Amino acid sequence: MARTQLYLVRHGEQNPESDHVSNAGLSQLGREQADRLGRRLRTVPFSAIHHSPLARAAQTADIVAGHLPEVPRHACHFMADRTPVPSAGQRGRYPDRWLSWLDNVPEDERDEDATALRLAVKHFGVTGSEDRHELLITHNFVIGWFVRHMLDAPVWRWIGLNQANCAITIAQWDSDRPPALVSFNDTGHL
């Protein structure tokens, strides 16, 4: 039985002095979180580190990779900062209380009907002939979407699944079983 484990990690804390601009880097605390994460993960046999192209995720990946020197890493468009928003025909699938908030999601983060996020799950959520461990350093709503998928929850249920900076969520696919959520928001190393 082949197994795929995806370690989904939210980037370290963004520099608060950046006024939360989309491509700001890490704060000092964020760098410390990433270092602790790297120390925690140093014995996992990762085949790759995939990270969002945004600075805070790339910097987190750089620090973690210092503890995993043999593991290749790269910026990955599947890990980009995305917010699932319903198209006009799908708005009824979301609770009314969230619609005005979703209408104000910045254009560069909008993922209508989670098209890109569905592709990310399809791309990473597969098994092969051998066990595989992948580290995905990304953003809160991306992780929320993966968790929502693992639990087969309604499309809007990624809302409120908040991941701490540098916390670990593990999603697992086995060749002969449904996908499973192994852990969520593990902060034991922080």
Side-chain angles (χ1 to χ4, degrees):
M1 172 175 66
R3 173 175 292 160
T4 295
Q5 284 193 331
L6 301 180
Y7 285 65
L8 297 150
V9 172
R10 184 180 183 189
H11 56 79
E13 181 189 72
Q14 183 175 344
N15 185 345
E17 296 173 10
S18 69
D19 199 28
H20 296 284
V21 295
S22 67
N23 204 23
L26 295 176
S27 67
Q28 180 58 38
L29 175 60
R31 288 188 287 281
E32 292 168 11
Q33 292 167 332
D35 184 62
R36 289 177 183 215
L37 173 67
R39 284 187 271 141
R40 167 86 181 270
L41 297 177
R42 69 178 172 246
T43 61
V44 180
F46 289 114
S47 57
I49 301 170
H50 312 273
H51 63 83
S52 163
L54 292 180
R56 58 193 180 272
Q59 290 172 3
T60 301
D62 288 344
I63 294 167
V64 169
H67 296 278
L68 302 165
E70 303 300 315
V71 180
R73 69 183 185 280
H74 68 278
C76 175
H77 70 278
F78 287 119
M79 296 296 97
D81 194 4
R82 302 186 195 285
T83 303
V85 296
S87 62
Q90 297 296 315
R91 289 175 69 85
R93 297 181 73 188
Y94 278 72
D96 288 342
R97 69 183 178 272
W98 298 113
L99 294 176
S100 63
W101 177 76
L102 290 164
D103 289 342
N104 290 311
V105 169
E107 192 60 39
D108 61 334
E109 293 177 20
R110 298 176 75 78
D111 182 12
E112 191 170 280
D113 295 335
T115 303
L117 288 169
R118 291 175 196 276
L119 289 173
V121 170
K122 185 177 180 179
H123 176 79
F124 286 108
V126 295
T127 58
S129 58
E130 297 180 14
D131 288 353
R132 189 176 98 236
H133 299 80
E134 309 256 347
L135 177 56
L136 289 75
I137 299 175
T138 186
H139 305 275
N140 190 48
F141 297 156
V142 175
I143 296 168
W145 183 264
F146 269 84
V147 171
R148 182 224 61 82
H149 173 81
M150 302 306 289
L151 300 176
D152 200 22
V155 294
W156 64 270
R157 197 53 193 99
W158 57 269
I159 298 172
L161 295 175
N162 294 320
Q163 182 89 354
N165 294 108
C166 286
I168 302 167
T169 290
I170 302 174
Q172 180 172 294
W173 280 262
D174 290 298
S175 56
D176 63 347
R177 294 187 179 136
L181 185 63
V182 175
S183 69
F184 175 72
N185 206 29
D186 178 351
T187 59
H189 52 289
L190 300 174

